[in-house]
Amino acid sequence: MNELRHFLEIDDLSPGELARVLELCTATGPSIFERSTVAFYFEKPSLRTRHSAEAATVRLGGHPVTFSASEVSIGSREPALDVAKVLSGFHALIGARVFDHALLDELASVATVPIINLLSDLGHPCQALADLLTMQQEWGSLSGRTVAWIGDYNNVARSLALGAAMSGMGIRLGCPTGYGPDDADLDRLRIAGAADVVVSDRPHVAVEGADAVHTDVWASMGQETEAAARHQAFEGFQVDDEVMGAAPDTAIFMHCLPAHRGEEVSASVADGAQSRMIGQAHNRMFAKIGLFRWLHEVGSL
Ligand code: CP
Ligand code: NVA
């Protein structure tokens, strides 16, 4: 097999391929980059994504070349199509964190190396890989478990829910009115394999029976002007001891980070015994190792 595969959203993989990526996250194996370079482009700030991408690349024998929009603004200094064609000649792979998901589609339309979504307005599939890996390590397997999401059905939520659906998990979404999944999102979850998706505007209801409770910031990068309105709309959606108390005692708490203690999560939950968010962040590197190894396995690297 020798095909070019991109990773713009988690359902670019089949459920079997997703399971294989998760298997490869902690597998040992040879260096795959053989001293070649890997490009990582950032239009937005990053701690975990940049460091995990660079660390994974070096662990697999490659050299990361990270650059930001302040150095070379793709689509503004020169057209995205030219950038994708040029960078394809230098690097084994191109990762990009962008405001507009359409830029990833544009890069992928002409790149001759894999394009990886490092977060867009629509999805954060590398985060979802780490989230699924963390839950799999917690329970041994994902199928039959239930994940609850409290907050905005945003980029992180969309990728996580799709990955959970593909892994045979139940999905319970607790979103303020107007911030939940739309019909297209729900259709996509069904296509991904979701049997039953519960959507509620009451966090206590959403976490009932959940094995893991996830949340994220109320205003994502790029939504700063909406922050005040969102704070109002998300009142009552903080994952605090009371909300965690409505979930089973065995439920774990997860957050992609950065976290705003006192807003979407209380300090007691973020730093409490049920929290797995630091291990989840560490898994960002293993998730990329699994993804890169899988791309190598299918002949894309
Ligand atoms: N979770 C996550 O993507 O973190 P960064 O924005 O710091 O990369
Ligand atoms: N939803 C957040 C995730 C950050 C990792 C954002 O897009 O800013």
Side-chain angles (χ1 to χ4, degrees):
M1 202 172 12
N2 200 358
E3 56 174 331
L4 177 58
R5 296 289 298 268
H6 301 295
F7 186 64
L8 305 191
E9 186 44 280
I10 197 153
D11 59 359
D12 288 347
L13 304 173
S14 69
E17 288 170 341
L18 172 57
R20 179 64 182 153
V21 170
L22 295 178
E23 216 170 72
L24 289 171
C25 291
T26 48
T28 51
S31 294
I32 57 171
F33 287 120
E34 295 168 0
R35 283 176 299 175
S36 54
T37 51
V38 175
F40 298 120
Y41 172 68
F42 287 88
E43 289 184 345
K44 305 179 186 183
S46 172
L47 177 77
R48 281 145 290 274
T49 306
R50 175 179 176 173
H51 285 264
S52 63
E54 294 195 357
T57 301
V58 171
R59 285 191 184 214
L60 294 174
H63 183 91
V65 179
T66 299
F67 64 114
S68 69
S70 63
E71 296 161 87
V72 178
S73 183
I74 299 180
S76 151
R77 184 170 184 262
E78 60 184 300
L81 299 182
D82 287 353
V83 173
K85 289 176 192 168
V86 170
L87 292 184
S88 290
F90 300 146
H91 303 296
L93 175 154
I94 303 166
R97 167 169 287 197
V98 301
F99 282 97
D100 185 355
H101 191 90
L103 176 55
L104 296 173
D105 291 326
E106 221 181 334
L107 295 171
S109 70
V110 295
T112 56
V113 298
I115 301 293
I116 307 299
N117 181 358
L118 300 179
L119 180 147
S120 71
D121 54 337
L122 296 185
H124 198 2
C126 291
Q127 178 71 52
L129 289 180
D131 298 351
L132 294 168
L133 176 64
T134 306
M135 292 187 286
Q136 186 170 277
Q137 288 172 337
E138 183 79 26
W139 307 316
S141 71
L142 297 171
S143 181
R145 296 285 180 168
T146 296
V147 66
W149 176 270
I150 304 301
D152 187 12
Y153 194 72
N154 63 10
N155 45 8
V156 174
R158 186 172 290 104
S159 296
L160 172 65
L162 284 168
M166 293 164 65
S167 305
M169 302 180 78
I171 300 166
R172 300 177 68 85
L173 306 170
C175 312
T177 307
Y179 292 93
D182 61 21
D183 289 346
D185 284 317
L186 292 172
D187 280 348
R188 192 166 176 179
L189 285 176
R190 274 181 220 110
I191 292 165
D196 186 22
V197 181
V198 173
V199 184
S200 170
D201 60 3
R202 295 174 58 206
H204 294 78
V205 172
V207 302
E208 276 172 19
D211 294 294
V213 177
H214 292 243
T215 192
D216 186 11
V217 293
W218 290 340
S220 285
M221 293 180 279
Q223 296 174 332
E224 289 76 11
T225 56
E226 296 173 33
R230 283 171 169 268
H231 273 68
Q232 225 169 10
F234 286 73
E235 212 188 311
F237 279 75
Q238 180 182 102
V239 180
D240 55 14
D241 293 315
E242 213 185 305
V243 170
M244 285 305 287
D249 293 344
T250 49
I252 58 172
F253 170 74
M254 297 180 65
H255 193 310
C256 61
L257 300 178
H260 296 160
R261 290 168 178 78
E263 293 182 20
E264 78 277 3
V265 61
S266 67
S268 58
V269 170
D271 305 313
Q274 286 164 285
S275 178
R276 297 291 182 274
M277 63 188 203
I278 300 302
Q280 180 186 359
H282 292 160
N283 271 339
R284 295 294 308 279
M285 181 184 73
F286 294 104
K288 290 214 182 59
I289 287 177
L291 178 65
F292 295 164
R293 280 205 189 288
W294 177 79
L295 286 166
H296 185 255
E297 195 168 84
V298 298
S300 287
L301 285 179

